[in-house]
Amino acid sequence: QVQLVESGGGQVKPGGSLKLSCVASGFAFDSYAMIWVRRTPGEEIRWVSIISSDGGATRYAESVKARFTISRDNAKNTLYLEMNSLKPEDTAVYYCAKPRQANTPIDQASAYYYDSRGQGTQVIVSA
C-alpha cells in the first residue's frame, strides 16, 4: 500500500523559508520520479516540481524557479522541497505525489501523471 506523508509546513512571513519533507513507503521509491504539487485557495492543483528517480534531473514551474529546490534521499525514502524567498502567492496545501509509471524520464509527459498523493501540508505566507 502506497503511503506518502508530508510534513514541514507552517506559517512564515514573506521572504521566509520552509523545508517540506515527504516520507514514502509501500513502493520502490528509488524507481520513481517524484512530484510536488500544490493547491492554492480557490484553485485547482498545480504542478510545482519534479525530480528524477536518481535525483540527477529536476524541473520547476516558472512561478517557483530559482526559489524552490527539490531533492531526495533514496536511502531514507524521503522527498524534500526547500522553499526560499516565499511570497504570499505561495500559500497553499503542498502534496507529494507518485507517478503512475516507474523509470520514466522527467522530460516525458507521462512522468507527470500521478496515481497517489499524500494528505498534504499547509503553507501560509503572510505578514
Side-chain angles (χ1 to χ4, degrees), residues 37-61:
V37 298
R38 67 185 182 186
R39 187 195 300 272
T40 53
E43 294 188 5
E44 62 187 20
I45 287 181
R46 295 182 182 272
W47 169 74
V48 175
S49 185
I50 189 169
I51 187 168
S52 61
S53 58
D54 65 357
T58 58
R59 287 191 173 180
Y60 300 90

Side-chain angles (χ1 to χ4, degrees), residues 45-87:
I45 287 181
R46 295 182 182 272
W47 169 74
V48 175
S49 185
I50 189 169
I51 187 168
S52 61
S53 58
D54 65 357
T58 58
R59 287 191 173 180
Y60 300 90
E62 283 297 323
S63 60
V64 307
K65 198 174 289 185
R67 299 187 299 120
F68 290 11
T69 302
I70 190 171
S71 62
R72 65 191 296 162
D73 185 338
N74 284 347
K76 295 182 179 180
N77 280 11
T78 302
L79 176 72
Y80 302 99
L81 185 68
E82 185 166 3
M83 307 184 295
N84 298 313
S85 302
L86 282 162
K87 304 175 181 180

Side-chain angles (χ1 to χ4, degrees), residues 4-7 93-96 117-122:
L4 299 166
V5 181
E6 302 94 338
S7 63
V93 179
Y94 286 74
Y95 305 88
C96 63
R117 194 178 74 201
Q119 84 290 346
T121 187
Q122 175 76 61

Side-chain angles (χ1 to χ4, degrees), residues 5-47:
V5 181
E6 302 94 338
S7 63
Q11 183 165 352
V12 296
K13 294 182 178 179
S17 299
L18 283 173
K19 187 172 184 177
L20 308 183
S21 299
C22 169
V23 178
S25 62
F27 65 101
F29 181 74
D30 58 0
S31 293
Y32 287 81
M34 289 296 293
I35 303 164
W36 284 101
V37 298
R38 67 185 182 186
R39 187 195 300 272
T40 53
E43 294 188 5
E44 62 187 20
I45 287 181
R46 295 182 182 272
W47 169 74

